């Protein structure tokens, strides 16, 4: 009996997917959303404080398990980083570090090392992925919105690096993220519209379209401060993608649970932060944004709770940590 349990544990560790870092991104996102809501909507600070510690614990657990996998099953990790789809999720590791750094931004002893390490890893994964695309014969069928993660994830660096890094360095990351956001949006729209809808397991990644303009606006405001026309455009594009996702909601009803469901969470949290920030930047004049902010915060909270419950059930049933 114990031998069977050991084999099961080894199998789960061996096939522990790098996509699990999307869980950290989701929890970091909702934590930052509640932090912003406590500043603007005056919600109790205890909510985001509790969430910040939960997020930190989840980050430690997932990172420890994946490091254990790297030590014990290095070939599995090597196969993941060479996989045309999974390679994009390695940047979720660096993005998670940057988000945790942002969550604990006021604690410089924690935030600064995480920012330095996260920004360094983000730079590596960005150029590793770009060279991977250039050097491999990538099929259009392998393209999906997860492509945004390694390159457009650079938009998070200026947010995490506020007060830690030189403005010109942060401008570089912002420019890199915006440039590839525009290019990849065109590529992915071409793939989805003219070459068939994504496979069922990748449908949740459609939500990732919301993240770049949402995070881009927040990043731009960190760099420039003013809610000008460019920020307005980024925000309205984010809202547009949110409405598109809402219009496509029937496509998600019968989807079998995959770990890719976590792709819904961070983009929704980023959109929530963007809405609340716009309400703040417009001097609290537009009550529509306040209402929209509350609705988005509630919806994102419910979404994360549902996905978390489904993840726990799937782990218990052995549906996630399996060879694909």
């Amino acid at each position: 009996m114990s031998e069977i349990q050991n084999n099961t544990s080894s199998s789960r560790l061996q096939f522990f997917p790098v996509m699990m870092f999307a869980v950290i991104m989701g929890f970091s996102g909702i934590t930052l959303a509640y932090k912003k809501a406590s500043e603007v909507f005056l919600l109790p600070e205890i909510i985001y404080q509790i969430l910040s510690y939960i997020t930190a614990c989840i980050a430690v657990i997932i990172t420890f398990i994946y490091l254990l996998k790297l030590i014990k099953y290095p070939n599995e990790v090597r196969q993941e980083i060479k996989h045309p789809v999974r390679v994009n999720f390695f940047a979720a590791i660096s993005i998670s570090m940057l988000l945790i750094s942002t969550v604990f931004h006021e604690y410089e002893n924690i935030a600064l090392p995480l920012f330095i390490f996260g920004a360094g890893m983000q730079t590596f994964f960005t150029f590793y992925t770009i060279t991977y695309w250039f050097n491999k014969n990538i099929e259009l069928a392998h393209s999906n919105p997860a492509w945004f993660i390694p390159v457009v994830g650079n938009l998070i660096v200026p947010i995490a690096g506020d007060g830690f890094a030189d403005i010109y360095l942060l401008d570089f990351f912002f420019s890199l993220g915006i440039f590839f956001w525009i290019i990849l949006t065109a590529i992915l729209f071409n793939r989805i519209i003219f070459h068939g809808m994504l496979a069922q397991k990748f449908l949740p990644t459609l939500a990732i379209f919301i993240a770049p303009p949402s995070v881009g606006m927040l990043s731009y405001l960190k760099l420039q401060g003013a809610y000008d026309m460019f920020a307005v455009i980024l925000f309205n594009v984010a809202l547009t993608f949110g409405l598109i996702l809402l219009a496509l909601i029937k496509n998600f009803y019968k989807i079998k649970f995959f770990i890719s469901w976590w792709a819904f969470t961070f983009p929704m949290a980023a959109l929530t932060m963007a809405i609340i920030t716009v309400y703040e930047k417009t001097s609290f004049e537009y009550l529509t944004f306040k209402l929209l902010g509350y609705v988005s915060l509630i919806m994102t909270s419910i979404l994360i709770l549902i996905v978390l419950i489904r993840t726990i059930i799937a782990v218990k049933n052995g549906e996630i940590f399996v060879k694909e």
Side-chain angles (χ1 to χ4, degrees), residues 47-324:
I47 300 175
Y48 89 78
Q49 289 172 348
I50 292 173
L51 282 171
S52 65
Y53 290 115
I54 292 174
T55 302
C57 289
I58 292 172
V60 169
I61 292 169
I62 291 176
T63 303
F64 175 77
I65 293 174
Y66 201 79
L67 282 173
L68 206 59
K69 174 182 174 176
L70 177 61
I71 294 169
K72 196 168 183 180
Y73 300 104
N75 287 334
E76 289 293 332
V77 176
R78 197 174 294 114
Q79 286 179 24
E80 279 192 305
I81 205 167
K82 290 181 179 179
H83 192 279
V85 175
R86 293 195 173 196
V87 63
N88 301 293
F89 286 92
F90 275 87
I93 300 173
S94 52
I95 291 174
S96 296
M97 291 182 182
L98 292 169
L99 290 172
I100 296 291
S101 174
T102 308
V103 169
F104 294 99
H105 197 268
E106 59 269 30
Y107 302 103
E108 187 173 336
N109 291 338
I110 298 173
L112 182 56
L114 283 172
F115 167 73
I116 293 171
F117 198 48
M121 287 188 70
Q122 181 63 34
T123 303
F124 169 77
F125 286 129
T126 293
F127 289 98
Y128 175 86
T129 306
I130 292 172
T131 54
Y132 181 92
W133 291 339
F134 279 128
N135 292 329
K136 302 290 182 180
N137 293 320
I138 305 292
E139 295 181 17
L140 195 62
H142 288 150
S143 63
N144 65 80
W147 279 22
F148 283 127
I149 300 174
V151 287
V152 184
N154 288 289
L155 292 172
I156 297 174
V157 177
I159 299 173
D162 182 38
F164 292 152
D166 185 88
I167 186 67
Y168 293 106
L169 178 64
L170 301 182
D171 283 342
F172 168 78
F173 283 103
F174 178 80
S175 303
L176 183 63
I178 289 292
F179 175 74
F180 277 101
W181 167 52
I182 295 169
I183 290 177
L184 290 179
T185 298
I187 292 172
L188 293 169
F189 261 63
N190 173 65
R191 182 258 183 270
I192 293 169
I193 294 173
F194 297 108
H195 299 275
M197 184 50 89
L198 300 172
Q200 188 184 66
K201 67 184 297 183
F202 293 120
L203 281 179
T205 63
L206 289 172
I208 298 177
F209 277 110
I210 300 172
S214 300
V215 177
M217 189 209 75
L218 295 170
S219 184
Y220 179 75
L221 291 177
K222 283 289 183 183
L223 295 171
Q224 298 297 323
Y227 184 61
D228 55 20
M229 182 51 68
F230 185 60
V232 170
I233 291 172
L234 289 172
F235 175 65
N236 286 327
V237 170
L239 273 182
T240 300
F241 278 119
L243 292 172
I244 291 173
L245 193 72
L246 192 62
L248 291 171
I249 196 167
K250 65 178 183 180
N251 294 54
F252 306 118
Y253 283 151
K254 297 181 181 180
I255 297 178
K256 179 185 174 184
F257 179 80
F258 297 101
I259 196 64
S260 59
W261 274 34
W262 281 98
F264 283 120
T265 59
F266 177 73
M268 284 298 298
L271 180 59
T272 302
M273 283 186 282
I275 294 169
I276 298 173
T277 301
V278 168
Y279 176 65
E280 179 186 35
K281 289 292 182 178
T282 52
S283 303
F284 313 107
E285 292 181 8
Y286 300 97
L287 293 179
T288 302
F289 289 143
K290 184 175 184 179
L291 177 62
L292 201 57
Y294 273 116
V295 171
S296 185
L297 186 63
I298 292 169
M299 287 178 61
T300 306
S301 302
I302 294 171
L303 174 64
I304 287 182
L305 185 60
I306 291 172
V307 176
L308 177 63
I309 292 170
R310 291 297 301 270
T311 302
I312 293 171
I313 293 172
V315 170
K316 284 186 176 179
N317 294 338
E319 298 172 0
I320 292 183
F321 308 137
V322 293
K323 187 174 180 62
E324 294 185 3

